Amino acid sequence: MQPSTMAENNVYPTPPYGQGPPLPGQVPMPNQISMMPVPERPAGCPPGLEYLTQIDQLLVQQQVELVEVILGWETNNKYLVKNSMGQQVFYVAEENDCCNRQCCGPMRSFVLHVHDNMGQEVMTLSRPLKCASCCCPCCLQELEIQSPPGTPIGYVIQNWHPFLPKFTIQNEKREGVLKIVGPFCSFRCCADVNFEVLSMDESTKVGRISKQWTGLVREAFTDADNFGICFPLDLDVKIKAALFGTCFLIDFMFFEHKE
């Protein structure tokens, strides 16, 4: 699927949010959240990923869609991504068709467009339609991370396990770099659900992806989730991008359910 322009996909948030990047030539509104300043891009860093070079934590906030809450009609997901200071780093929008969303639900294939604060698409996350059951170990979940769009820089591969969610982070050469291991049960009341980022031999903890508890009302009536991602500051920026992409795959696999 070829990425299309932001105008065609209407990736900017609509009122009452007003927190997305301004359209070209548009003056930001006073209610917009602060944007992270653009750092200098080091050599070898894909355009737009320079933001990640100065970050060791990210907060991913899925926007609540009133159509989903009231009618239960699945819509394209939208997310705001912030740093630890609350400054917006990226804006993420799903591109999908109605039939795929309604028929396949959280198991659907998707393309996620990641835009920086200037409105430029800096990453594309692509998930093909595959199985997630331990009964089908030959057709498990995958995610491809592209930056700039069209250039793969990493992959997330689900590993077969009879009862634990496990993934391998691969670089652009499809070489394993990190492992991710989740809990036996992904449902916890009034507590975060943690997916640990480990070294390839699973002996050293490197970081964490946490699905954060958002309160009883939001958890009960919406599938809009918040995630926290932490990783070493000096980690390769491409691997940081792959961990960032893993957050969305985890969201769809374990938490994108109808309430």
Side-chain angles (χ1 to χ4, degrees):
M1 181 182 298
Q2 294 295 325
S4 50
T5 64
M6 289 182 295
E8 291 172 342
N9 287 290
N10 189 26
V11 301
Y12 292 106
T14 55
Y17 301 105
Q19 295 178 330
L23 291 167
Q26 183 182 47
V27 178
M29 298 300 292
N31 66 333
Q32 288 182 317
I33 63 174
S34 62
M35 307 291 185
M36 179 178 174
V38 183
E40 183 178 352
R41 181 161 63 96
C45 176
L49 298 194
E50 59 268 21
Y51 293 91
L52 297 179
T53 61
Q54 299 185 354
I55 287 177
D56 61 0
Q57 296 182 51
L58 286 171
L59 175 63
V60 180
Q61 299 177 323
Q62 184 176 353
Q63 295 186 0
V64 177
E65 299 290 342
L66 294 180
V67 173
E68 290 190 11
V69 175
I70 298 173
L71 301 178
W73 188 262
E74 188 69 31
T75 61
N76 282 328
N77 288 353
K78 298 183 177 74
Y79 306 82
L80 290 178
V81 184
K82 303 177 184 178
N83 60 18
S84 58
M85 299 175 62
Q87 297 172 319
Q88 182 171 312
V89 183
F90 298 123
Y91 179 73
V92 184
E94 178 186 2
E95 178 187 356
N96 226 323
D97 59 78
C98 180
C99 181
N100 193 21
R101 292 196 307 270
Q102 308 311 320
C103 295
C104 298
M107 293 305 299
R108 64 186 182 267
S109 60
F110 61 69
V111 175
L112 296 180
H113 301 282
V114 183
H115 300 269
D116 65 13
N117 293 328
M118 304 302 293
Q120 301 297 316
E121 185 172 352
V122 298
M123 272 188 282
T124 301
L125 312 176
S126 301
R127 174 205 195 187
L129 182 63
K130 291 202 173 187
C131 182
S133 171
C134 62
C135 298
C136 302
C138 61
C139 193
L140 297 178
Q141 293 292 299
E142 292 185 10
L143 184 77
E144 181 180 83
I145 300 91
Q146 301 176 0
S147 182
T151 303
I153 61 169
Y155 303 88
V156 183
I157 307 297
Q158 182 187 7
N159 303 132
W160 183 87
H161 194 278
F163 53 85
L164 288 179
K166 301 186 73 172
F167 304 88
T168 297
I169 303 295
Q170 299 178 337
N171 60 20
E172 65 269 28
K173 298 179 181 179
R174 287 194 173 271
E175 299 168 336
V177 179
L178 295 172
K179 291 280 189 177
I180 296 178
V181 180
F184 170 72
C185 178
S186 60
F187 174 77
R188 292 183 183 177
C189 184
C190 303
D192 295 348
V193 181
N194 297 320
F195 292 74
E196 304 296 343
V197 182
L198 308 171
S199 58
M200 281 299 293
D201 60 5
E202 301 185 14
S203 63
T204 304
K205 182 179 175 181
V206 177
R208 175 179 290 174
I209 299 174
S210 298
K211 190 273 181 185
Q212 300 175 343
W213 174 257
T214 55
L216 183 61
V217 173
R218 181 161 175 163
E219 295 283 345
F221 293 101
T222 79
D223 59 5
D225 302 307
N226 287 351
F227 285 86
I229 312 170
C230 61
F231 38 63
L233 183 62
D234 59 353
L235 186 66
D236 186 329
V237 68
K238 296 180 181 179
I239 304 304
K240 287 184 180 181
L243 287 174
F244 173 68
T246 306
C247 172
F248 299 98
L249 182 60
I250 289 174
D251 182 27
F252 275 81
M253 288 181 64
F254 302 103
F255 306 106
E256 188 70 8
H257 52 272
K258 293 186 180 296
E259 305 293 341

